[in-house]
Amino acid sequence: QVQLVESGGGSVQAGGSLRLSCEVSERAYSDYAMAWFRQAPGKEREGVAAMLGNGGGINYADSVKGRFTISKDNAKGTLWLQMNDLRPDDTAMYYCASYYRGPWTTWATMASWSYWGQGTQVTVSS
C-alpha cells in the first residue's frame, strides 16, 4: 500500500511563498504519476498540479499557472509544490495523490487517483 504524508503548510501574507512536501513510502516512487489537489471549505476538491512518473506530462490548474511549480526527487521519494505570489483564494487544505488511473486528460478529477495523503493546511491572509 502506498502511504503519502504532506507537510509544509502554514499561514502567510498575500504575496508570500510556501513549499509543500509529500513523502512517499513506496519504493517504486519513480513509476508513479503524482498530483497536488486542494479543497477549501464548502468547495469541491480540485486538481492543482500533476506530473508523470518520468517527470513529464506536467499540468497546472489555470488559477495557479505561473505561480506554482510541481517537482519531485525520485531518489528521496519526495514530491514538492513551490507556491509563490500566494493569494487569499489559495487558502485550502492541500493533498498529494498517487497511483493514477487514466486517461491523463482526467488528471484533475479526484476519482482518477487511488492514494491520498492526510493534507496540510495553507492559509493566506490579505
Side-chain angles (χ1 to χ4, degrees), residues 22-92:
C22 175
E23 299 294 329
V24 184
S25 65
E26 175 60 47
R27 286 183 175 272
Y29 174 81
S30 63
D31 295 332
Y32 297 159
M34 301 288 295
W36 287 98
F37 281 68
R38 67 185 182 186
Q39 186 167 24
K43 301 182 68 175
E44 65 181 308
R45 191 171 298 185
E46 64 175 349
V48 176
M51 68 191 309
L52 297 170
N54 64 7
I58 294 176
N59 290 102
Y60 295 100
D62 288 341
S63 60
V64 307
K65 286 181 179 177
R67 300 188 298 120
F68 290 11
T69 302
I70 187 172
S71 61
K72 65 184 179 74
D73 185 326
N74 289 347
K76 294 181 178 180
T78 303
L79 177 77
W80 291 290
L81 184 68
Q82 178 66 47
M83 305 186 295
N84 297 325
D85 299 322
L86 285 162
R87 306 165 179 170
D89 60 3
D90 293 319
T91 296

Side-chain angles (χ1 to χ4, degrees), residues 84-106:
N84 297 325
D85 299 322
L86 285 162
R87 306 165 179 170
D89 60 3
D90 293 319
T91 296
M93 185 73 75
Y94 283 72
Y95 302 87
C96 61
S98 70
Y99 207 85
Y100 182 78
R101 298 178 291 180
W104 192 235
T105 51
T106 65

